[in-house]
Amino acid sequence: MSPVFAFNKWPRALCTALKLSVAASSASLLVACGGEGAGGISSNSGAEVLLKAGEGGVVSGSLESVKYRLTNMSWSVMPLAATNPVLSVFNQDCAVALKNDSVTPTLATATSPAGSGGSNWQCKLTVFAEGQSTTTDALYDLTLSGLNEAGRQVSYTRQLRVQPNAALNGIAPEGTYLKGVSVTPVASICQPGAPVRLTARGLPTDTVFNYRWRVVQGPLAVLAGAQTAEAGLIAPVVSASTLVVVQLEASALPITPENPAVYMARAVVHVDPTYPYEPCGSYGSF
């Protein structure tokens, strides 16, 4: 088996904020759909993937097709109630993936028209739960699906639970901030120690602003220009897949406990030691 990273494109689906309506779905089960394969989704211990409102996480998934090689793989997130908060997802179509395919496939025969060989692909999804105020758990079906060369589907579903987070990392709920501000890039995938440039977008140009950039989730990271419209971040040196959430706050007045910021936006940086390119790959912005 030879690992091959697929980074040949960065489609728009990578930076789509899913705004899904009501849907009914089954519990988390393995679904092999005739694909002669298996799969798995992992993020933390337990029967569910757990996430708190206002926070992000990296979910790892893998699919195996035993007899035929896989041809594509993608994620889907389905809310189980219409009132569930919007989730932002990155790398939904697995443009960034580790693809292990058999290097010595069996030639096609009358009984096996597509030949055989098999695949084991791995893909990581970054999920960010927007910081809307919520008092109840929100449930989603998180599914990783793939198609093999025989046209058979292999998929695996696990339940994702977003829990209320009253503190929201010590900041005011998102609803108290003025809208229209964003950070570019909204998401990045980087090697440990790589630099990331983050830029505030959408602020009125006729006002002089005070800025504050800070890490609100994940390990400490070096921030340069934390009081300007453009900040530089050095991805922390980690040995495992890690998510860093950086928050921008802006206000015409100095930002103090008595005068909180009126604008807020966030960006996520996925630090992955297995990422093969330098310095970072960007998922763009919404």
Side-chain angles (χ1 to χ4, degrees), residues 21-155:
S21 59
V22 63
S25 183
S26 60
S28 300
L29 296 172
L30 175 66
V31 183
C33 301
E36 299 183 33
I41 296 173
S42 62
S43 175
N44 43 39
S45 59
E48 300 173 319
V49 175
L50 299 178
L51 200 62
K52 286 191 174 183
E55 296 184 356
V58 177
V59 182
S60 298
S62 64
L63 289 178
E64 180 182 14
S65 179
V66 177
K67 186 176 182 181
Y68 302 103
R69 288 172 294 190
L70 291 167
T71 58
N72 64 65
M73 181 168 61
S74 62
W75 293 90
S76 63
V77 182
M78 187 67 64
L80 302 188
T83 56
N84 283 2
V86 173
L87 297 183
S88 301
V89 295
F90 308 95
N91 201 32
Q92 184 185 357
D93 62 358
C94 293
V96 179
L98 179 62
K99 300 182 177 181
N100 293 303
D101 293 317
S102 173
V103 295
T104 56
T106 302
L107 297 177
T109 65
T111 56
S112 181
S116 65
S119 296
N120 189 318
W121 288 8
Q122 301 171 23
C123 178
K124 294 176 181 177
L125 181 75
T126 299
V127 184
F128 186 69
E130 304 290 350
Q132 296 108 322
S133 298
T134 177
T135 57
T136 60
D137 290 3
L139 300 178
Y140 307 78
D141 272 347
L142 180 63
T143 302
L144 180 63
S145 302
L147 197 69
N148 66 20
E149 57 192 352
R152 296 173 181 173
Q153 186 182 37
V154 180
S155 63

Side-chain angles (χ1 to χ4, degrees), residues 144-203:
L144 180 63
S145 302
L147 197 69
N148 66 20
E149 57 192 352
R152 296 173 181 173
Q153 186 182 37
V154 180
S155 63
Y156 189 81
T157 299
R158 190 176 177 198
Q159 189 165 271
L160 169 67
R161 180 183 297 269
V162 177
Q163 299 174 316
N165 184 1
L168 284 176
N169 292 307
I171 64 168
E174 183 182 355
T176 65
Y177 293 94
L178 298 178
K179 305 297 183 181
V181 177
S182 63
V183 175
T184 302
V186 69
S188 304
I189 180 170
C190 304
Q191 291 181 350
V196 188
R197 178 179 294 179
L198 302 171
T199 304
R201 302 290 187 191
L203 288 166

